[in-house]
Structure formats: C-alpha cells, structure tokens
Amino acid sequence: MDDVTLDAGPRWRTAMFAETAGGGRVRCTLCPFRCVLADGQSGVCKVRRNDGGTLRTASYTAAVTHLTPVERKPFYHVRPGASVLTVAGPGCSFRCDYCINSRLSQYGRDDDAPWLGEPARPAELAAEAARAGALLGMSYSEPSLAPELTLDLAAHGVPVVWKSNGYVTPEAIAVLAPALLAVNIDIKAADEAAHRRLTGASLGPVWKAVEEFRAAGVWVELSTPLIPGTSASPQTISVIAARIASIDANIPWHLLRFTPDYRMRRAAPTQPSALASARAIGREAGLAFVYVERALGSPGRNTSCPECGTQLVDRGVWSMVHNRLRDGRCPGCEFSMPGRW
Amino acid sequence: MTAVQHVFTESLPDLIDASEYSRYPDGTLVRIRISVTDAGVEILGDGLRPELIEQVLAAIGDGPMEQMLCG
C-alpha cells in the first residue's frame, strides 16, 4: 500500500473496508458507525478519512511498543506467563468518560491527545516479538481501527491478540478473525442508553462481535470496569453476567476497578467489597471463571478446575506464578480447560 | 509555565498495595518516593487518583512525566 503524508502529523495510507457512496463520498465499513464521508472528512474515530474518494487510515502506526505479561491485557486463559509485545497508535471509536489512556486514545477529539508515533514496521515488530518469545498485542487504544496493521503483523507468523472495545462489523471480523489468536472485549454497560452515554456508541454490536469472534474460532475473554452510574451497580453486573452465561459460562470475565480520571474525576475508586460482590454475582450466574486482578489478592486471580476444584494456575499481580495444566487439561480429573494454552 | 511532557512507559513500581484500597474509600491516598540517581532526581508517585499524583509532580518540577497505560 502507498504512504501519503497529508500534514505534519499522521501518515495516511489506503484503508481496507471502504465502499463508494456516490458523489465522491466513501462509506467506511470497519466499525458499526459505518461513517459516510465526504472528501476531506474524517470518521468518528478520527483516524480514517476520505481523501479524494479514497478511504485512508492513519492507524498503521506505532506510538507505543511495550513488552508486558499477557496477564496485563488481561488474558488469563491464553498462554499463561507469556510476554506480549504490544503495539499501539492513536485513536479510538469510543470516547469513554473514564479513559485512563485518553492521551493516546482520544487523538482528534482532545487537545491533550496530540498525534504520536511513526509508521509501524511489521517485520521488525514480529522479529522483536519472536526474539523475546512473545505474542504480538494491540491495545491501549482501539486495535480494531488498525485492521491493515493487524493483518500485516499476523502475516509474519507471531500470534496476535487484541484488547478491544468490540465495535467491529461482522464483515471486518470475518476478514480479521483468522489473524487473531484471542480478543479481550470490554462490556462497559448493561443497556443501550448507559453504553451510549459513556462511550458514544451502541452496545448491541459489541455483543454481536463477541459471538462473531467466537464463531470464527477466536478465543474471547471479557472485561467489565465497575464504572459509577454505568456498570457498577449489582443490578447492572447481574444483567451483564446473565448475558455472558447465556453465551457460554466458560467465558473468562475480568472485573476491573474504576479509577477516577479524565472526565470522571469526582467519583470514588471502586472498593474491594464492590468487586467481591460483583464476583459473587458472576458466580451465582453460573460463570466458571470470574477474575479480579488486584483488589482481592491472589484468590481473585487464580484459576481452578470447575470440575474437581484443583488449583491450576497461580498468578501474581500481572504475572504467572505456577501453571499445573498438562496440555490444557486438569491433572486431577483430565478436564479440558477452555482457553489457548 | 511550560506544558508537561507525558511519556508512556512499560512499567512503574507500585508504592500502594491492594490491601490498602479499602482504607481510602475516597481515593485520596498519594504516595511519593524521591530518589537520587545517576541521571538526577527521580520522583515516583502512586495513588488512587491519577489527577492528584500529576498535581503533586507538576508542583515539584516540569520534567517529563511517565505514566503506564491500561490494557
């Protein structure tokens, strides 16, 4: 693909998932906003735009390249103890009020989020990951806005994982799923109104993406931050847990602390007791794997066999301490643990 | 006053243990560690409200401010 510099910041290149929409307009079919863009206009995400009738993207970018444990994404049922070389460029399709990463994710919306990064070099990134024995990851901002980079990274043979908001169209998932080992998707609300208020986007397509990724063979874990007024109440947690259980009770569910930041600085941080209650609600809903990273200590992070109770994976904060799985099976009862081991 | 330069970093040490969370329900705890290194003075902050840490660090000096990203 060609690189074109249109200003002093991003490097724009031809994007996938584009349709002509008449009158020089282009429809982007990457995310469910399905923006129809006039010449020179950017999409909701601010990193895809119509340039003379051609859809171009700025997301083929590495602003951050970090080597961190897979447990930090978080993934608890994907290669425990593995490292992930995470690549991220600016941009997000959501505008969440609590975003801790807003200085990167909210490029194009906030003055505090300037353009950062340089064109990504997939071969070099894949080689660096391979040298470290690591997976490749895309997170911090919204990885689904970089389908071109995802496919080019995967072409080098290193497994790729995403931490995503799940706002991706079925047609994009169909193309991208073969390139992905696993996706962790945020479920940030239980109903449409709350989700739109927080993120600016609809919730329905996120649940659809969960099912589409799973149907395509991608391993899916889910995360829910306990956001005051959106997802923190027991009633809301209960609705989300029931929805997950209706899809598959073996989907790992990560409950995350809310940290007051960005446009939600007045609210208090999540208390450990609220996370304990949420975990109990998840278990009562029948979910086999409900996790809390830090606030409840190691019992919140460890994985036990749902059949015989044998403790299978012990974790520290963002690390794997001990893995007793044998070829993905419980050594006590031979139960085949769901995941990508 | 110059704008603070924010730098995204892979990892920073914790100064607060999760067992302390419940003692500060309003999230007002901020812990600071000041070290002298070969590169100069390093100030590490940890807290339950990033805004408070950044206020403290900005008041101390205008050097680059490192932060970890979520995810």
Side-chain angles (χ1 to χ4, degrees):
Chain A
M1 281 191 270
D2 52 323
D3 275 12
V4 178
T5 302
L6 297 179
D7 53 43
R11 298 268 288 180
W12 297 86
R13 55 191 287 149
T14 304
M16 302 172 67
F17 304 108
E19 294 175 353
T20 55
R25 295 178 305 162
V26 173
R27 179 183 294 106
C28 176
T29 61
L30 175 58
C31 94
F33 281 122
R34 297 184 185 274
C35 298
V36 176
L37 306 171
D39 188 14
Q41 190 178 9
S42 298
V44 171
C45 63
K46 310 299 183 189
V47 291
R48 291 165 73 83
R49 76 182 191 190
N50 181 349
D51 174 26
T54 299
L55 186 66
R56 295 191 186 276
T57 176
S59 63
Y60 205 94
T61 296
V64 178
T65 308
H66 288 166
L67 190 65
T68 56
V70 72
E71 287 79 8
R72 267 206 62 193
K73 296 295 107 190
F75 284 108
Y76 278 11
H77 288 223
V78 177
R79 314 266 176 99
S83 294
V84 179
L85 184 68
T86 300
V87 185
C92 190
S93 43
F94 287 4
R95 49 149 186 77
C96 302
D97 291 330
Y98 72 102
C99 186
I100 291 175
N101 299 347
S102 64
R103 290 188 179 103
L104 183 67
S105 69
Q106 297 304 301
Y107 165 76
R109 297 190 187 96
D110 284 359
D111 292 340
D112 285 345
W115 179 258
L116 298 169
E118 299 175 348
R121 298 179 179 86
E124 291 178 19
L125 291 164
E128 186 179 345
R131 276 195 302 275
L135 309 172
L136 278 163
M138 299 172 74
S139 70
Y140 303 144
S141 52
E142 180 44 45
S144 63
L145 294 177
E148 302 83 6
L149 179 57
T150 299
L151 293 173
D152 285 357
L153 288 170
H156 291 276
V158 178
V160 178
V161 299
W162 278 2
K163 174 75 173 76
S164 174
N165 62 20
Y167 209 63
V168 200
T169 59
E171 57 265 45
I173 291 172
V175 173
L176 293 166
L180 294 167
L181 174 69
V183 180
N184 185 314
I185 294 175
D186 278 336
I187 303 296
K188 300 170 190 269
D191 65 82
E192 283 288 338
H195 197 266
R196 282 186 184 277
R197 212 165 43 238
L198 179 78
T199 69
S202 173
L203 174 61
V206 178
W207 283 116
K208 187 168 180 58
V210 171
E211 303 213 33
E212 296 274 344
F213 274 119
R214 283 169 47 82
V218 179
W219 176 252
V220 173
E221 303 193 15
L222 301 178
S223 295
T224 296
L226 271 61
I227 305 164
T230 301
S231 57
S233 74
Q235 294 81 4
T236 306
I237 289 294
S238 181
V239 171
I240 296 172
R243 179 73 183 263
I244 298 170
S246 74
I247 298 171
D248 185 344
N250 283 333
I251 296 176
W253 190 29
H254 301 264
L255 297 165
L256 310 179
R257 290 176 70 232
F258 162 77
T259 298
D261 201 10
Y262 194 39
R263 292 188 296 252
M264 289 190 71
R265 294 181 173 182
R266 289 186 181 176
T270 308
Q271 281 296 290
S273 57
L275 289 158
S277 297
R279 182 177 63 172
I281 290 169
R283 288 178 172 172
E284 285 165 16
L287 298 178
F289 308 106
V290 185
Y291 296 112
V292 175
E293 284 182 351
R294 300 185 61 153
L296 304 184
S298 57
R301 299 185 290 264
N302 296 337
T303 299
S304 297
C305 176
E307 289 293 314
C308 71
T310 298
Q311 192 160 307
L312 298 173
V313 185
D314 306 344
R315 296 182 182 85
V317 177
W318 299 332
S319 66
M320 194 273 291
V321 175
H322 198 80
N323 181 0
R324 298 177 187 84
L325 285 164
R326 292 183 194 151
D327 296 325
R329 291 183 177 276
C330 171
C333 69
E334 289 295 309
F335 176 74
S336 179
M337 283 290 287
R340 299 288 183 271
W341 312 105
Chain B
M1 189 172 167
T2 57
V4 173
Q5 182 193 359
H6 291 272
V7 178
F8 304 127
T9 191
E10 210 164 76
S11 177
L12 290 168
D14 289 322
L15 300 181
I16 297 173
D17 186 79
S19 62
E20 298 177 275
Y21 293 164
S22 57
R23 297 216 305 270
Y24 301 91
D26 294 330
T28 51
L29 175 64
V30 174
R31 199 160 278 152
I32 300 289
R33 187 181 77 191
I34 301 174
S35 311
V36 178
T37 70
D38 290 344
V41 176
E42 178 188 87
I43 305 165
L44 176 68
D46 195 359
L48 307 178
R49 292 179 179 271
E51 173 191 20
L52 297 182
I53 307 165
E54 292 183 4
Q55 284 178 7
V56 170
L57 295 179
I60 293 172
D62 60 1
M65 203 179 290
E66 296 185 336
Q67 74 165 94
M68 287 178 68
L69 292 162
C70 178

